[in-house]
Amino acid sequence: MSKLNLKVEIDEKAGFCFGVVKAIEKAEELLDKNNEIYCLGEIVHSDEEIKRLTNKGLKIINYDEFKTLKNKKILFRAHSEPPESYEIAKKNNVEIIDASCPIIQRIKADIKKSFENNENIYIWGKPNHSEIIAINGEINNRAIVFENLNDITL
């Protein structure tokens, strides 16, 4: 049997999107100043990066834990959050460090404007993905979210 001669190269442009990079930089900056910062959900889809940041003091929490958090600082990741998360933070005196990606923020504003103009809103994506939850949350979860064109019923 012959050996396969394989050369692996990683494209120099490969990596996280700029929104995630900025969120990670913000987390690092905060962790350097303060050994404890909470993050609502995983900041990035990378086990290695999560491990590195949790070793520096990042505490990843879920929504149930977030609802009970009081008088702390929390990082909202690049994926953004629905309005409900901002309301919970305010009610519980939780300081928000908002690392929401500007592209997601623009999409949220556009969706809200379209919704206010009584347009039907369809979102192509995974219904339980954090970005979709944040975007759909802007319009009280009134969008039709679908993963496949066959899922749409008119």
Side-chain angles (χ1 to χ4, degrees):
M1 189 172 259
S2 65
K3 288 186 177 182
L4 181 62
N5 187 9
L6 181 65
K7 181 180 178 185
V8 176
E9 292 182 25
I10 298 175
D11 187 300
E12 63 186 44
K13 295 177 185 171
F16 307 126
C17 72
F18 80 93
V20 171
V21 169
K22 290 184 84 129
I24 290 170
E25 288 172 353
K26 178 58 81 176
E28 289 173 328
E29 175 187 319
L30 292 164
L31 290 167
D32 287 344
K33 293 178 185 173
N34 180 356
N35 289 355
E36 181 180 84
I37 186 81
Y38 292 85
C39 184
L40 184 51
E42 291 186 342
I43 193 169
V44 64
H45 304 298
S46 166
D47 293 340
E48 286 184 40
E49 188 63 11
I50 294 296
K51 183 178 179 181
R52 186 183 75 79
L53 291 169
T54 55
N55 286 339
K56 288 185 82 161
L58 186 69
K59 297 183 184 322
I60 297 170
I61 61 173
N62 63 35
Y63 282 95
D64 289 335
E65 294 167 316
F66 171 59
K67 290 175 184 176
T68 65
L69 190 69
K70 297 196 185 325
N71 306 312
K72 301 286 184 178
K73 289 184 182 181
I74 193 158
L75 178 73
F76 283 177
R77 58 197 172 164
H79 300 95
S80 193
E81 287 297 321
E84 177 187 13
S85 296
Y86 293 87
E87 292 164 13
I88 291 168
K90 183 177 180 180
K91 182 181 90 175
N92 291 344
N93 196 37
V94 173
E95 181 184 341
I96 298 169
I97 295 89
D98 199 342
S100 295
C101 174
I103 293 172
I104 301 298
Q105 294 295 73
R106 190 191 79 236
I107 291 169
K108 287 170 57 174
D110 290 348
I111 290 274
K112 192 171 185 176
K113 184 176 178 182
S114 293
F115 184 74
E116 289 168 353
N117 289 329
N118 295 314
E119 296 175 24
N120 293 324
I121 308 296
Y122 294 85
I123 301 173
W124 191 357
K126 295 181 189 231
N128 293 323
H129 192 276
S130 51
E131 290 166 329
I132 302 302
I133 291 169
I135 293 166
N136 199 13
E138 283 298 312
I139 57 171
N140 301 314
N141 301 308
R142 302 279 296 277
I144 296 170
V145 181
F146 64 98
E147 289 186 65
N148 301 300
L149 291 176
N150 295 336
D151 294 339
I152 298 176
T153 55
L154 301 175

